Amino acid sequence: MSDRTLEKLSILADAAKYDVSCSSSGSDRKNKDKGLGNASNGICHAYTEDGRCVSLLKILLTNHCIFDCAYCVSRKSNDVKRAAFTVQEVVDLTINFYRRNYIEGLFLSSGIFKNADYTMERLVLVARKLREEHNFNGYIHLKTIPGASDELLKEAGLYADRLSVNVEMPTEQSLKLLAPDKKREDMIQPMNYLKGAIIANREEKKLFKKAPQFAPAGQSTQMVIGATPESDLEVLFMASQFYKQMQLKRVYYSGYVPISNDNRLPAIGTPVPMIRENRLYQADWLMRFYGFKVNEIVSPENPHLDIDIDPKLSWALRNLQIFPVDINKADLQVIMRIPGIGVQSAKKIVSARQFSKLTWEHLKKIGIAVNRARYFITCQSKEFELKDLMPMQIKQRILSQGASKYQPNFSPQIKLF
Amino acid sequence: MVTLTYDGSFEGLLTAIFEIYEYRFSDVSIVPADRAQANVFNDHRQSTSDPVKAERVWLGLKKKVSTAALNQLHRAFLSELPGIEDKLYQYVLYVFSSKLSVEYDYSNSFVLFIKQTDQKVRREKHRMEAFIRFQLTGDGLYYAICQPDYNVLPLLQNHFRERYADQRWLIYDSTRKYGIYYDLNTVETVSLSFSEEAGSGKNLQAVFDEKEELYQQLWQQYFTSVNIVARKNTKLHLQHMPRRYWKYLTEKQVQ
Ligand code: SF4
């Protein structure tokens, strides 16, 4: 370990950073036999200057690649410095970073070296060494290489907490256009295999507690947004399908960062679509935690998410007939749908109203965004805002208050609306 | 008005609350002895920590509210906010005065205040779980200095013991001048005077493992490399990593 390692790290971390997924949660791996680490709570140990969470050591094993995907910095035809870690180097970095409390674990991906299996074998080897030689129980996320064999996927699942297969593009046409070496099938097939293996493992665990874990944090995927002309409707319907049919834990949306003069792609200097990306994450949260169906968020009439307001507010303005909602009576599910009220506040409201009828004062103290919510609710207080305002008027009023707390925030870890 | 002083410990506070009932003080304020200010208009009384009295209050509460609510009280206490004692006392008073459990009655200002204070303390605990940075010394000790806003070390023990079960570690709170130390078996509270200079990077070679500096450099390199300049968002960065925590963050030590 030395200057050479330092240089490799800079190349291979730089090349890995466009994969936005960073989550280290969803696993409950315990510390075994007084070994090193556990994977439980998904801590962000640092934040980059662009405000993204740094939770895992996210690197490529190598950025050499036989493929030529147009949107990728590591593509074969790109003139960049190449490097490759040895298996041992990755193991040492992981262990030593982990012991210093820098990270929750490792997220290892790779360019395709020789062929899919050859590359996947090495990724699996790193994970096996960590688990078996170092009794490392921290979080491991392995990216699966498209086209790798089922046997290797199976082994990967025994060591890793999470596996991901990136679909890269929201539609097959876009993939064909930008990643001619890749086939949609090579991505869907391993996803299907993993889905089956994960379900089988969960069943087995129910019967035999001692059965080995298989990817306890499930699988995820990523789509690049804004490199190709898909609408939010296409993107979110695709995501919704992944959640339902593939039972994915997370879908990540990565705003395309222009890195190439290829005329199939937005030119260098085009801004990264960060607000759009943020709106997609908000919509994603609505689907996963707020009980919204995808077609409530986007539809053929409204194929794009609003840029100036969040998708929950848009939905509410399109559905004013449901409002106002009586905060002292409505179901939790309904309260969660009110703009300005998050899951936590909704729960507090439902608890607190058992003791006394809630007024604006109570609601303010509980921490809801009254400025925004007041157009949609009634409470014990007499004053009430929603006096036949038109959706546009409400939108204008809310926007003019410019509640800064709710300004778009560009991180996939957002929690509030 | 009675000012009741206590020793600043949680047990001491519970004792003081017991004595308020015992001596039937009415208009009373509880203050840690080292924060008490002489005031001619007040009647000053001193409460001495007593495990038996403290336990009676604790068990009394236990009958009325859940364990989660009890833990909340303890964490809110660790906030060390001025006046937190009186808020906790009012909460306890409210609990004992009603038949049903009131722990979810957020329309009561004390219950809500304790809940919100608890959230702040827990957030600080999470921050420390994230921002603690160990440095490896030549004799195999991983040690870290921190300055949490609240007194959260007691809440950190389990997390670090479970995670770093196979390494000796020490976490030192340089504001409150004490630390917690894990010797591969148990975690103990230790007070020691600690020269901060040792951790400032200048004397690295003298005290530290030979690889320590390399790993710090590697981590700094990593932190720099993962940044995407085209996405720079300083406001968000600072919101997640407020400046006051930078002092002990390895990745923030590069000029
Ligand atoms: S296969 Fe992966 S690493 Fe290689 S060019 Fe395509 S996206 Fe980049």
Side-chain angles (χ1 to χ4, degrees), chain B:
Chain B
M1 173 107 181
V2 180
T3 302
L4 186 59
T5 59
Y6 78 110
D7 63 2
S9 72
F10 192 54
E11 187 182 275
L13 174 64
L14 293 175
T15 307
I17 291 175
F18 183 90
E19 291 179 352
I20 293 177
Y21 278 90
E22 190 178 19
Y23 301 118
R24 296 173 195 278
F25 294 135
S26 53
D27 188 15
V28 60
S29 174
I30 313 172
V31 200
D34 57 0
R35 278 194 201 169
Q37 279 167 7
N39 177 338
V40 285
F41 302 108
N42 286 4
D43 179 7
H44 285 263
R45 301 293 193 95
Q46 193 184 336
S47 158
T48 312
S49 184
D50 175 343
V52 178
K53 290 179 180 175
E55 171 123 23
R56 291 232 344 237
V57 175
W58 194 245
L59 291 179
L61 284 169
K62 219 172 180 168
K63 286 192 199 124
K64 293 273 199 171
V65 296
S66 68
T67 317
L70 289 176
N71 291 337
Q72 235 179 45
L73 289 179
H74 179 233
R75 285 188 299 256
F77 169 76
L78 293 175
S79 73
E80 302 176 335
L81 292 176
I84 187 68
E85 291 84 359
D86 290 339
K87 300 273 201 223
L88 286 162
Y89 167 59
Q90 291 296 338
Y91 182 111
V92 172
L93 208 60
Y94 185 43
V95 168
F96 285 140
S97 72
S98 69
K99 281 210 182 67
L100 297 168
S101 165
V102 296
E103 60 188 275
Y104 297 113
D105 182 4
Y106 303 124
S107 63
N108 175 286
S109 67
F110 298 108
V111 175
L112 186 65
F113 182 85
I114 295 302
K115 161 107 181 164
Q116 286 166 342
T117 307
D118 171 46
Q119 279 173 340
K120 287 185 197 162
V121 173
R122 279 198 306 197
R123 186 179 327 130
E124 192 65 5
K125 165 185 181 275
H126 289 307
R127 279 194 169 135
M128 286 302 122
E129 286 171 1
F131 295 159
I132 289 289
R133 296 286 180 265
F134 288 117
Q135 313 190 57
L136 179 59
T137 66
D139 60 356
L141 175 72
Y142 286 84
Y143 95 92
I145 307 180
C146 61
Q147 275 181 338
D149 289 352
Y150 308 121
N151 183 19
V152 293
L153 254 47
L155 305 175
L156 292 177
Q157 298 195 12
N158 287 345
H159 171 78
F160 283 97
R161 192 187 53 221
E162 278 162 24
R163 174 158 291 197
Y164 299 110
D166 71 341
Q167 69 190 42
R168 288 194 305 126
W169 52 258
L170 169 70
I171 301 171
Y172 184 74
D173 179 337
S174 63
T175 309
R176 295 169 189 82
K177 307 263 181 268
Y178 81 100
I180 48 176
Y181 169 63
Y182 171 71
D183 65 359
L184 298 180
N185 287 306
T186 49
V187 180
E188 277 168 34
T189 302
V190 290
S191 49
L192 66 171
S193 61
F194 214 69
S195 153
E196 291 214 15
E197 285 302 297
S200 68
K202 289 174 210 114
N203 309 329
L204 274 181
Q205 289 83 352
V207 194
F208 289 98
D209 182 83
E210 51 177 24
K211 291 268 180 67
E212 180 56 32
E213 198 178 351
L214 171 68
Y215 280 110
Q216 292 193 12
Q217 275 176 13
L218 285 164
W219 175 241
Q220 286 157 354
Q221 178 61 57
Y222 179 71
F223 187 72
T224 313
S225 301
V226 291
N227 189 38
I228 300 179
V229 181
R231 300 178 59 117
K232 190 173 169 81
N233 186 341
T234 309
K235 195 174 155 218
L236 193 60
H237 175 65
L238 289 176
Q239 183 186 323
H240 288 308
M241 261 179 140
R243 268 181 219 281
R244 64 181 184 284
Y245 298 100
W246 290 14
K247 190 166 165 195
Y248 298 114
L249 287 172
T250 313
E251 60 273 25
K252 285 292 182 190
Q253 304 313 311
V254 252
Q255 274 79 45

Side-chain angles (χ1 to χ4, degrees), chain A residues 60 63-76 110-112 143 146 168 179 182:
Chain A
L60 300 188
N63 65 340
H64 289 281
C65 191
I66 54 171
F67 281 4
D68 204 36
C69 312
Y71 48 82
C72 174
V73 270
S74 304
R75 67 188 180 280
K76 183 173 61 185
S110 185
I112 303 176
K143 182 116 145 260
E168 313 285 11
K182 281 184 180 163

